[in-house]
Amino acid sequence: MRSIWNGAISFGLVSIPIKLVNATESRSVSFRQIHTEDGGRIRYRKVCELDGEEVSQAEIGKAYEDADGTMIPITDEDLASLPLPTAKTIEIVSFVPASEIDPLQMDAAYYLSANGVPAAKPYTLLREALKRSDKVAVAKYALRGRERLGMLRVVDDVIAMHGLLWPDEIRATEGVAPETPVSVREAELDLADALMATLGEVDISTLHDDYREAVEEMIAAKAEGGEAVAPPEPAAEGGGRVIDLMAALESSVRAAKEARGEAPPEAASVTELKTRKKAAARGTPKETEAKKSTARTAAKKTAEPARKSTAKKTAAKKTTETKSTATTKKTAGKKTQAKKATPRKRTA
């Protein structure tokens, strides 16, 4: 890898010659600006705004713009004359636990390579000391015309340096947090913990840039004269909707477990089966009404013969009673006539 800076690490009285190389690289697809009518490249020319003439890079210098717009020229000699002890030195100022470094301060990352054979021994000494102490080194260094803050740590068998922002370059968090007071229940926290446990285990090396791959496929298709791939349907936006947080968390946990090939919870399955049985027993409203109508019809049919039989028995009983009454009346009449016809005996 090509070095971007040569200097030394100052570790007390120990000086370690090193080379600075970039530890990261951008894989983003870059585009050029073109004229849409003819496809010609759009380029920027550096022009002096006073005379309108284009100037070369050798004719361009530095200046500081004052508050009133006045330009104060600054030359390379002016900057070189400044008392900057870290111009060619990474000066270690302290060793602290890694937890004391705020991730918000993290900037660009570099690898520090030992520059030459004599540098191998002190380089290894510093590396092993960092490993055993389980700490990181805070250092100052100068790069691209300004002094910077850095953090040295061990990555595999290499000393890496992260550029750090100065503490006064980190903005305060005032006005960022929600202003409305919100209370969170323990059940919601438990579901959030379950979701974190399900999603937290992932191999970082397996993650990749899906958007970049889609852009590359689209460019390859257009280069071959084809059409661009149709974009997928956009997901529904959740902005402004009121959601059930518990239901969303439960669904998220279930979906994450299914994606990982894990079986759903037993409780959910039992609940689902009970619900289905109850629903099957109840039936639909139409089926329930039909069953009731059928039962009423059957009861009506059963009751009609019983009513007819009862009516017949009642009528027969009345007829019998009528006949019996008539017979009784006739018998009484005959007895009365017989009494009248019998002569009374006179007593002597």
Side-chain angles (χ1 to χ4, degrees), residues 175 177-181:
E179 297 180 358
T180 305

Side-chain angles (χ1 to χ4, degrees), residues 110-134:
Y110 308 95
Y111 289 142
L112 303 181
S113 173
N115 192 2
V117 176
K121 182 65 178 288
Y123 183 94
T124 305
L125 174 63
L126 176 59
R127 183 190 67 196
E128 296 303 317
L130 287 171
K131 282 184 179 180
R132 190 167 70 172
S133 66
D134 199 21

Side-chain angles (χ1 to χ4, degrees), residues 143-332:
L143 184 65
R144 299 187 180 96
R146 59 184 288 256
E147 188 175 53
R148 303 167 186 261
L149 194 63
M151 179 192 74
L152 276 63
R153 68 185 184 97
V154 179
V155 178
D156 295 334
D157 287 332
V158 175
I159 298 176
M161 182 174 69
H162 295 269
L164 299 179
L165 299 175
W166 295 99
D168 59 356
E169 292 179 320
I170 305 297
R171 290 182 174 179
T173 60
E174 296 177 359
V176 180
E179 297 180 358
T180 305
V182 178
S183 60
V184 180
R185 295 179 294 171
E186 288 294 330
E188 295 170 341
L189 285 174
D190 293 340
L191 281 174
D193 291 340
L195 181 59
M196 290 169 61
T198 305
L199 299 178
E201 300 175 1
V202 64
D203 185 2
I204 298 294
S205 61
T206 62
L207 302 179
H208 56 278
D209 189 347
D210 294 325
Y211 179 77
R212 176 168 59 93
E213 291 182 357
V215 171
E216 291 173 349
E217 291 177 2
M218 179 265 293
I219 293 173
K222 293 180 73 71
E224 295 176 359
E227 294 294 332
V229 181
E233 292 293 332
E237 295 183 0
R241 294 190 305 162
V242 178
I243 63 172
D244 186 346
L245 185 57
M246 290 291 290
L249 287 171
E250 290 174 352
S251 301
S252 301
V253 172
R254 192 179 305 112
K257 288 186 176 181
E258 290 177 356
R260 296 170 63 87
E262 299 179 9
E266 290 294 331
S269 300
V270 173
T271 302
E272 186 177 358
L273 289 175
K274 286 183 179 179
T275 304
R276 289 181 179 176
K277 286 182 179 179
K278 290 181 180 178
R282 287 196 302 268
T284 61
K286 291 184 178 179
E287 292 175 353
T288 304
E289 185 62 28
K291 288 181 180 179
K292 290 182 179 179
S293 177
T294 304
R296 286 196 298 266
T297 304
K300 186 176 181 181
K301 290 180 178 180
T302 304
E304 285 180 358
R307 285 197 300 269
K308 289 180 179 180
S309 177
T310 304
K312 287 181 179 181
K313 290 180 180 179
T314 304
K317 186 176 181 181
K318 287 181 178 180
T319 305
T320 303
E321 290 177 354
T322 304
K323 290 180 178 180
S324 178
T325 304
T327 303
T328 302
K329 288 181 178 181
K330 287 181 180 180
T331 303

Side-chain angles (χ1 to χ4, degrees), residues 62-89:
K62 299 182 182 69
Y64 175 80
E65 185 176 3
D66 205 355
D68 59 357
T70 304
M71 293 296 177
I72 303 173
I74 304 294
T75 64
D76 293 337
E77 289 76 13
D78 295 332
L79 296 175
S81 63
L82 293 176
L84 188 61
T86 58
K88 284 292 182 180
T89 304

